[in-house]
Amino acid sequence: MGEIILQMKEIDKSFPGVHALDHVSLEVKRGEVHALMGENGAGKSTLMKVLTGIYKKDEGTIVYKGKEVEFRNTREAQDNGVVIVHQELNMVGDLTVAQNIFIGREPRKGFRIDDKKMIEDSKALFDRLHIDIDPTEKMSELTVGKQQMCEIAKAISHNAELIIFDEPSAALTEKEIEDLFTIIRDLRSQNLGIIYISHRMDEIKVITDRVTVMRDGGYVGTLITEECTKEDIINMMVGRVIYEKPKEKSLVPADAPVVLKVEHLNAGKMVQDVSFELRKGEILGFSGLMGAGRTETARAIFGADPKQSGDIYVNGKKVEINSPQDAVNHGIGYLSEDRRRFGIVVGKSITENSTMAALSDYMSGLFINKSKEKQVSEKYIKELDTKTPSTDQLVVNLSGGNQQKVVIAKWLVRNSDILIFDEPTRGIDVGAKNEIYKLMNRLAAEGKSIIMISSEMTEILRMSDRIIVMCEGRKTGEINIEEATQELIMDKATRQMEA
Amino acid sequence: MKKKKSIGLLADQKFIVLIIVVILYVVFSFISKDFRKYSTLVMMLDSTYYILLLAIGVTFPLITGGVDLSIGTGMICYGLTGGYLVVQRGYPTWVGLVVAVLFGLLVGILNGILIAVMDLPPFLGTLCTCMMTRGLGSICANSFAIPWPGAKAEGGWFHNIFKLTMGAGRKAMNYPVGVIVLAVIVILMSFVLNHTRVGRYTIAIGSNKEATRLSGVNVRAYHITAYAISGLFAGLASLAYAAAIPTIQPGTGAGIELDAIGGAIVGGVSPTGGAGSIIGTMLGVFVIQLLKTGLPYIGLEANWQQIVTGLVLIGAVMIDVIKQRREALEG
Amino acid sequence: MDKIKQNPLVKKVGFNRVVLCGVLILMYIFFSILVPAITGSGFAGMSHIMGALNYAYFLGFLSLGVTFVIATGGIDFSIGPVMFCCGLISGYCLITYNMPLPLCLLISILIGTLFGLWNGYLVAYWTVPPFIVSMASMNMAKGIASVFTKTQSVSWPRSTDANGWFRNLVKAGGIPTGLLCFLGAAVICAIILNNTKFGRYIICLGSNKEAVRLSGVDTKKWEMCAYLMCGILVGIATIFFVGTYTTVQPGYGDTYNNEAIAGCVMGGTSMAGGLASISGTVIGVLIISLLQEGILALKLTKDIQLIITGIIVIVAVYADVMARRRKN
């Protein structure tokens, strides 16, 4: 580790009603990978946006390469060698790789863009990073992993000296993460400063040198990675030990009937020959790495995406599911990982969202029976303990946890017996998380059957009665909770990659 | 990898459209003796000229994922205004030409501001300017119908630039200036689309506007530029229209944009933006114009033109949708 | 300002509707002063109000129709030419083929319905962008009408003629029955939009289509129905158009698109979908109609009106864009 390249001191930032950053400090050295950790909403992204000039800070100083700076926009930050590799890919799909890397600063000969030089420069960049990508290929034709590599190449081509990775591994396969780490180590040896934002504890241990932890917009502390344990970091993140004990044994009686049977389901590359059974009152965990095909499986079962082949049996009877309507009519409900896009209509009220799937039951003749609708909405607000002033509240004004409860209410109003929870606690804070867990356990105890897709190992081990592991579109393991360990699941989730 | 691309070129929409153009011409010629005549060809090419210009211009907003509905009535409006100055006020022809083109450019920039700065939906913003130019055209020309100077008359020299031929036969002296002008414009705009920042960012905006913005590109400026190009070409088209049609009537022009936009989309411009080519647009316009011109020769009255054009446009978009669905299923 | 907004009555009616009513009244006063000052003839009085109302009937039906489509986040600017197509074909049936009048009126509604179905089918099931569908339908409507009538204009019977009774729908004796019909239709539309499954679904799918689909709702069907509803209303609008203006010419009608859309967006229906107000549309239509009447009374041409309508739409939609920006 070398000299200090970046020092952010006592950064303070408020938005109307929110104290987003409360005197946060961060120090990054050359030749260091510095992890920035914290729960959702801890202020990591805000801090990085202050650094790269997207937000203006209210107080504090930023010293970069020994000089006090305040970048006015990302462009200026870029020009000074501070670049960010975003979580969402910012790629122009219809342009080629080279055109993407040099967008906004194309080399020119007169009016003409010098495409030849761009391609050569891109090749040189890829050589430096030991990546094998054809710069003349269209961006939309690359895999997500390769697109990520291009994004990194683009960042480096700005003569970057400080690179920020914002959850870079979220969409990558194991192999691609390995490649990414190789590149990051390479960059570290070239004496660049690197800030690495991630939720994945394992990665932090493998790749980073120091960890700065934030909590609720405040600075908690900085540790040297080698000298601390996972629990140390988690404790700092949440302020208390949250490590939950796994479920010890399945709560499902041995003779519980099978309510959903899926046989040889095929849907594109991400779902290949998936078969499983779900029993009444069971919470069936779906584990696997990002991109293992779990969400795709759920969507195919639910009829949200077309499937090529496969049979689905509900309560022992074979059913045809070609659209979400069919699925809903057979008592299946799907709670998407992306609530805002797929779960709720944000501009509408709690009531309107709650009865969305079951509106036919709330009609008097041709008209909607609004008082009946309101009644049921109130009932579930009470039952699920949704925090809201009234049933007319627009869901856009609710917190993540309460929005999730509205989605749950939607399926309960519909009387769905099979619920597919896709990442049920993503974007939800710790307290609300526990509430959702309790709720799911209660639903299972009441006889609902639940498929729970989750990327959080603790969640899987804590909630599931049985665990199915997927990897690259295939089912690679089925583990009873009594035998389940983190190691076993991880082994199944990565099994094929080494072969 | 390289091989795959050359096969891709064969399966390119441009190539298919070219074949359709040839087939249509052959079929119509086979059925109708009159259609085969040289004079029919000349007439058809002359009346295609202004639509080609409109289509080349509107290709840019279409590639950004927008549309410019104001080009049809706009063209009439600019032609009326320029012509009014020349015919009623006695200004020299070149003044009228310049005014028409500048007027087009101005409305184009206004469209760009409505869409890029004020964030109006493109079809709505340009629908408004479509109606407004329709009113403006009548007002600027004092509600007169404007006959620009004829080809032989004094000040009629501009006909030479915008007609493909002089139509009087194949004399050696009659250089097809129009063809050369058009070729230069097509090559120039292809260059602009493929090898300059304006074109590159036009495609980028249509493909992923937010990513383009985050790359430090002044998205607004280039978005406005795309509409400005469309307006500029509508201005140019008004001159070609004046050269092809003896008298410009106020209150007309609605529907012409369909031929231009339809041509562009038939020629492979994606209706959702991000892809397209000038050559494709040109070929697409020929498909539509062949159909329009050819229908009366095979016994259908001229009113069928609008119906057929509408159906061809819908058909072209449907093919695009099918292609996308298939890709989505494979990917 | 805030005080006015907090007033219980204003809150109940809705702030922007109060503003719209204010605009309507101010505009009437404005014309009442300006028209006599410039032309010497009076504006205040029933004749101009009736003129404006006559214009409001058919425009109102068009605007109500397009409100449903805009609520889904789509657009239909083929409505004007489609109305002309309905009027031409059914009128041609009446005059040239001597078909019975009720049948002709039905034909008119049927043609509107078919266009709505076609537009909706393409938008919902084929995901063709609505503006392309509109553009194609607009020209196809003109073409079909011209082909059918051999490019002749059609004059509907006068009220004294044998088949003139349908004009009672617009005006019976001194009573503006058209106004009753329009307001009645508006009430029905408001009930449909706010109290039926159809209305609930189209507004929700205008806001977030994918979430509605994943709730097990047949979004394609309901989206198509919105266009269908629009088509039916366009068909009805035709009856009020020919009942007022008698002659329909082939090749025209597109100027009414913008006015119908203007009435709708001015009334607070969001171009982005998910937000629609029938009462707003009604007031919006009245404003546009009064504007048209005022401009005519000022002895100005239709051209000025085209420009002003364009500006109104731009301002109204921009206000909506700004409101949404502020929310985010």
Side-chain angles (χ1 to χ4, degrees):
Chain A
M1 267 185 256
E3 58 185 298
I4 291 167
I5 183 166
L6 172 78
Q7 203 153 25
M8 298 179 84
K9 275 188 243 161
E10 302 284 313
I11 305 291
D12 205 85
K13 172 83 194 167
S14 290
F15 296 107
V18 192
H19 199 174
L21 293 176
D22 187 1
H23 299 92
V24 179
S25 299
L26 175 70
E27 177 199 273
V28 184
K29 295 176 181 167
R30 284 187 185 274
E32 155 182 68
V33 180
H34 195 115
L36 188 57
M37 293 204 73
E39 296 261 279
N40 286 315
K44 297 162 297 182
S45 299
T46 315
L47 187 66
M48 290 303 106
K49 280 178 178 166
V50 167
L51 173 60
T52 51
I54 296 173
Y55 294 150
K56 251 177 97 79
K57 62 183 188 308
D58 299 339
E59 274 175 52
T61 52
I62 303 173
V63 179
Y64 172 67
K65 288 204 286 183
K67 263 187 287 188
E68 189 172 340
V69 292
E70 177 156 15
F71 302 126
R72 278 167 303 180
N73 50 45
T74 38
R75 186 66 181 264
E76 203 178 298
Q78 260 173 26
D79 294 343
N80 284 285
V82 179
V83 293
I84 184 158
V85 178
H86 286 280
Q87 185 178 0
E88 319 90 56
L89 295 168
N90 280 294
M91 286 296 166
V92 181
D94 288 310
L95 296 184
T96 67
V97 170
Q99 287 170 349
N100 262 290
I101 290 176
F102 289 97
I103 188 168
R105 55 200 170 102
E106 289 84 353
R108 270 173 302 152
K109 278 183 182 164
F111 282 113
R112 194 190 161 89
I113 292 175
D114 195 347
D115 277 295
K116 219 164 127 193
K117 185 172 184 317
M118 256 163 51
I119 292 166
E120 276 164 14
D121 288 356
S122 308
K123 274 194 182 132
L125 259 173
F126 290 145
D127 284 346
R128 184 178 151 198
L129 295 171
H130 311 291
I131 309 173
D132 179 32
I133 296 174
D134 178 4
T136 60
E137 196 146 3
K138 248 197 187 178
M139 201 50 137
S140 54
E141 278 158 23
L142 297 185
T143 61
V144 176
K146 287 200 167 169
Q147 288 182 358
Q148 180 83 282
M149 302 297 165
C150 293
E151 186 95 7
I152 296 168
K154 181 177 169 183
I156 292 161
S157 71
H158 284 274
N159 292 323
E161 292 182 71
L162 178 67
I163 304 183
I164 302 154
F165 288 94
D166 190 355
E167 300 206 35
S169 58
L172 300 191
T173 64
E174 196 78 347
K175 170 78 179 63
E176 286 167 336
I177 292 175
E178 273 311 310
D179 292 345
L180 174 70
F181 284 180
T182 312
I183 291 171
I184 291 180
R185 290 197 186 98
D186 220 29
L187 294 172
R188 175 166 63 184
S189 67
Q190 291 170 24
N191 226 12
L192 271 60
I194 294 161
I195 299 175
Y196 190 90
I197 302 176
S198 174
H199 283 298
R200 295 190 175 174
M201 207 56 76
D202 308 336
E203 289 176 13
I204 301 295
K205 291 294 281 182
V206 171
I207 191 74
T208 69
D209 301 304
R210 287 195 296 168
V211 186
T212 290
V213 179
M214 291 177 69
R215 183 172 70 223
D216 302 329
Y219 171 81
V220 181
T222 303
L223 302 171
I224 292 171
T225 316
E226 271 187 3
E227 295 169 3
C228 64
T229 63
K230 279 185 198 179
E231 283 73 27
D232 292 339
I233 301 173
I234 293 174
N235 286 347
M236 285 172 77
M237 277 165 65
V238 296
R240 62 181 182 276
V241 182
I242 58 144
Y243 190 71
E244 292 286 342
K245 269 195 207 145
K247 214 180 224 178
E248 277 167 4
K249 61 180 180 48
S250 170
L251 301 173
V252 185
D255 59 345
V258 173
V259 290
L260 177 74
K261 190 159 107 178
V262 175
E263 277 187 342
H264 309 295
L265 183 70
N266 282 290
K269 265 185 269 174
M270 299 304 282
V271 186
Q272 292 175 26
D273 198 30
V274 176
S275 306
F276 68 90
E277 287 179 352
L278 173 69
R279 288 158 57 192
K280 190 170 167 67
E282 184 177 37
I283 298 180
L284 179 62
F286 262 67
S287 186
L289 297 168
M290 217 45 94
R294 296 165 299 163
T295 297
E296 289 79 358
T297 305
R299 285 179 63 96
I301 293 171
F302 191 64
D305 293 328
K307 58 175 183 285
Q308 271 101 39
S309 64
D311 296 329
I312 298 172
Y313 300 83
V314 174
N315 293 325
K317 260 207 328 234
K318 191 176 167 191
V319 295
E320 278 300 319
I321 296 181
N322 293 319
S323 69
Q325 271 163 275
D326 297 340
V328 171
N329 288 336
H330 288 112
I332 305 175
Y334 174 62
L335 295 89
S336 165
E337 53 180 333
D338 191 340
R339 278 184 296 280
R340 284 186 76 87
R341 274 176 64 204
F342 301 130
I344 47 178
V345 181
V346 287
K348 297 291 150 197
S349 72
I350 294 182
T351 307
E352 282 168 303
N353 273 284
S354 301
T355 55
M356 180 81 73
L359 202 52
S360 301
D361 300 338
Y362 294 87
M363 305 290 288
S364 302
L366 279 173
F367 305 112
I368 297 170
N369 185 336
K370 292 204 174 173
S371 59
K372 196 174 164 197
E373 211 186 0
K374 197 171 165 165
Q375 260 172 20
V376 75
S377 169
E378 267 164 4
K379 178 182 153 201
Y380 280 104
I381 285 176
K382 213 181 283 168
E383 214 162 277
L384 305 181
D385 198 21
T386 314
K387 279 161 205 76
T388 171
S390 83
T391 50
D392 298 329
Q393 179 76 305
L394 302 185
V395 286
V396 68
N397 298 326
L398 299 179
S399 71
N402 285 316
Q403 287 182 352
Q404 183 70 299
K405 285 178 185 171
V406 173
V407 185
I408 295 174
K410 175 168 85 182
W411 295 116
L412 295 183
V413 171
R414 183 65 178 80
N415 231 340
S416 303
D417 291 324
I418 301 165
L419 297 173
I420 305 174
F421 282 83
D422 196 348
E423 304 284 357
T425 59
R426 178 173 289 175
I428 291 175
D429 58 63
V430 182
K433 243 180 187 177
N434 279 320
E435 270 188 72
I436 301 282
Y437 291 150
K438 271 188 214 150
L439 202 56
M440 287 169 72
N441 280 328
R442 204 179 87 202
L443 292 172
E446 286 167 5
K448 306 268 182 204
S449 311
I450 294 173
I451 293 174
M452 182 188 74
I453 299 170
S454 174
S455 298
E456 277 183 55
M457 198 64 87
T458 45
E459 191 166 285
I460 286 281
L461 288 172
R462 179 182 169 183
M463 298 299 298
S464 314
D465 295 310
R466 198 155 48 96
I467 299 157
I468 285 180
V469 188
M470 284 188 72
C471 176
E472 296 196 327
R474 291 177 184 280
K475 176 175 148 187
T476 52
E478 189 171 332
I479 309 167
N480 288 325
I481 190 68
E482 292 84 0
E483 296 130 34
T485 61
Q486 286 205 36
E487 291 72 22
L488 183 60
I489 294 173
M490 208 29 96
D491 177 54
K492 303 263 187 207
T494 52
R495 206 181 53 176
Q496 287 185 333
M497 289 171 187
E498 277 124 46
Chain B
M1 207 57 115
K2 281 268 156 64
K3 210 162 200 176
K4 202 173 135 198
K5 266 176 194 158
S6 67
I7 295 168
L9 208 72
L10 271 175
D12 193 338
Q13 194 158 349
K14 270 179 275 187
F15 189 72
I16 299 168
V17 176
L18 179 64
I19 292 173
I20 294 174
V21 169
V22 173
I23 291 174
L24 279 177
Y25 191 77
V26 170
V27 169
F28 283 136
S29 304
F30 190 74
I31 297 172
S32 161
K33 213 167 141 191
D34 288 332
F35 189 83
R36 283 200 290 273
K37 280 185 187 156
Y38 179 69
S39 61
T40 310
L41 181 65
V42 170
M43 189 264 301
M44 183 172 76
L45 290 177
D46 280 345
S47 62
T48 303
Y49 207 114
Y50 63 90
I51 294 180
L52 272 175
L53 290 176
L54 289 179
I56 290 170
V58 83
T59 298
F60 284 79
L62 282 173
I63 291 179
T64 66
V67 71
D68 187 348
L69 299 171
S70 73
I71 50 176
T73 54
M75 175 181 82
I76 301 296
C77 169
Y78 320 139
L80 282 170
T81 311
Y84 177 75
L85 292 178
V86 176
V87 178
Q88 302 281 337
R89 292 300 186 85
Y91 284 97
T93 307
W94 67 265
V95 175
L97 299 182
V98 171
V99 166
V101 173
L102 285 183
F103 198 172
L105 183 63
L106 205 69
V107 173
I109 292 171
L110 173 69
N111 278 331
I113 290 171
L114 289 179
I115 288 143
V117 181
M118 292 168 67
D119 265 349
L120 300 193
F123 61 82
L124 193 87
T126 55
L127 187 66
C128 289
T129 46
C130 167
M131 289 298 147
M132 288 159 76
T133 47
R134 186 146 149 185
L136 265 178
S138 305
I139 294 170
C140 289
N142 240 336
S143 298
F144 286 121
I146 301 290
W148 278 71
K152 302 270 167 16
E154 194 191 337
W157 50 268
F158 70 97
H159 287 256
N160 296 353
I161 305 175
F162 294 107
K163 281 200 170 182
L164 291 184
T165 66
M166 293 301 290
R170 277 172 273 189
K171 283 186 206 153
M173 288 303 287
N174 275 329
Y175 288 112
V177 185
V179 176
I180 297 166
V181 172
L182 187 67
V184 169
I185 288 177
V186 168
I187 292 169
L188 181 73
M189 292 322 283
S190 285
F191 175 80
V192 168
L193 185 60
N194 296 318
H195 297 290
T196 69
R197 281 184 298 176
V198 170
R200 183 71 36 92
Y201 298 153
T202 300
I203 298 172
I205 289 169
S207 183
N208 187 341
K209 190 171 157 193
E210 190 55 19
T212 312
R213 194 179 67 82
L214 287 174
S215 303
V217 175
N218 185 345
V219 167
R220 274 185 183 169
Y222 286 97
H223 209 166
I224 293 173
T225 306
Y227 284 90
I229 290 174
S230 177
L232 179 75
F233 270 80
L236 284 173
S238 74
L239 311 180
Y241 187 78
I245 313 282
T247 305
I248 307 181
Q249 298 284 349
T252 57
I256 296 178
E257 75 278 359
L258 176 75
D259 296 341
I261 294 168
I265 286 173
V266 169
V269 176
S270 162
T272 47
S277 69
I278 301 293
I279 302 284
T281 294
M282 197 174 83
L283 293 170
V285 170
F286 278 125
V287 170
I288 288 193
Q289 286 303 104
L290 267 169
L291 278 172
K292 286 188 85 164
T293 319
L295 289 177
Y297 287 93
I298 60 167
L300 278 175
E301 60 170 305
N303 284 320
W304 280 94
Q305 290 173 351
Q306 285 172 307
I307 305 173
V308 170
T309 316
L311 287 175
V312 168
L313 171 59
I314 296 289
V317 179
M318 278 178 157
I319 290 170
D320 194 61
V321 170
I322 292 171
K323 255 202 291 192
Q324 275 175 18
R325 281 189 189 163
R326 200 178 295 158
E327 268 166 32
L329 212 64
E330 279 167 6
Chain C
M1 194 72 167
D2 277 339
K3 219 173 174 183
I4 302 171
K5 275 187 188 174
Q6 292 310 319
N7 183 311
L9 185 72
V10 173
K11 239 181 167 175
K12 187 137 190 270
V13 182
F15 180 66
N16 36 0
R17 255 148 283 173
V18 175
V19 171
L20 280 177
C21 287
V23 169
L24 186 62
I25 293 166
L26 281 179
M27 203 158 151
Y28 185 72
I29 296 170
F30 173 77
F31 280 125
S32 301
I33 297 169
L34 200 66
V35 171
I38 290 178
T39 63
S41 56
F43 187 79
M46 275 324 275
S47 78
H48 281 293
I49 290 186
M50 287 307 287
L53 282 179
N54 275 334
Y55 201 76
Y57 304 150
F58 78 91
L59 190 65
F61 278 97
L62 290 182
S63 220
L64 288 176
V66 87
T67 303
F68 284 93
V69 171
I70 294 179
T72 67
I75 187 72
D76 186 350
F77 53 85
S78 69
I79 46 177
V82 169
M83 179 177 80
F84 270 50
C85 179
C86 296
L88 281 164
I89 293 180
S90 54
Y92 198 77
C93 287
L94 181 74
I95 308 290
T96 312
Y97 298 138
N98 288 318
M99 290 190 187
L101 177 67
L103 181 66
C104 293
L105 298 184
L106 265 180
I107 287 174
S108 164
I109 296 175
L110 185 72
I111 294 167
T113 310
L114 286 176
F115 265 103
L117 204 61
W118 161 253
N119 290 347
Y121 173 71
L122 289 174
V123 171
Y125 287 86
W126 281 91
T127 60
V128 181
F131 74 87
I132 288 185
V133 174
S134 297
M135 201 163 61
S137 287
M138 177 158 82
N139 285 275
M140 284 165 69
K142 286 182 191 172
I144 290 169
S146 300
V147 168
F148 196 87
T149 62
K150 308 187 177 57
T151 332
Q152 288 162 6
S153 61
V154 169
S155 284
W156 282 67
R158 313 224 144 251
S159 47
T160 46
D161 294 347
N163 264 327
W165 58 262
F166 75 96
R167 283 174 189 275
N168 287 330
L169 282 173
V170 180
K171 200 167 149 191
I175 307 158
T177 40
L179 185 64
L180 298 178
C181 292
F182 170 44
L183 292 180
V187 170
I188 293 171
C189 284
I191 291 173
I192 290 176
L193 200 60
N194 296 317
N195 292 305
T196 67
K197 214 195 252 186
F198 165 63
R200 172 72 59 85
Y201 284 154
I202 63 164
I203 289 186
C204 285
L205 76 86
S207 179
N208 187 346
K209 198 165 165 183
E210 197 55 17
V212 178
R213 186 176 83 97
L214 291 180
S215 300
V217 176
D218 191 345
T219 46
K220 287 179 180 166
K221 181 179 85 186
W222 294 112
E223 190 176 14
M224 184 173 80
C225 284
Y227 287 83
L228 181 65
M229 184 78 197
C230 177
I232 295 171
L233 284 162
V234 170
I236 299 174
T238 311
I239 298 171
F240 288 88
F241 184 83
V242 297
T244 315
Y245 298 102
T246 309
T247 305
V248 196
Q249 270 185 311
Y252 289 91
D254 29 13
T255 53
Y256 302 118
N257 294 330
N258 233 22
E259 291 173 11
I261 294 169
C264 178
V265 293
M266 231 193 317
T269 299
S270 169
M271 225 40 227
L275 205 67
S277 156
I278 295 289
S279 58
T281 298
V282 170
I283 308 172
V285 165
L286 292 177
I287 292 178
I288 297 285
S289 307
L290 186 65
L291 177 74
Q292 126 95 18
E293 188 65 20
I295 284 171
L296 286 183
L298 283 171
K299 305 254 183 310
L300 292 170
T301 54
K302 182 99 183 161
D303 303 321
I304 298 281
Q305 200 200 341
L306 287 175
I307 295 169
I308 294 178
T309 315
I311 293 170
I312 288 177
V313 175
I314 289 170
V315 171
V317 176
Y318 185 55
D320 180 48
V321 169
M322 290 303 284
R324 266 182 292 126
R325 261 193 216 160
R326 231 175 293 132
K327 256 189 214 161
N328 295 332

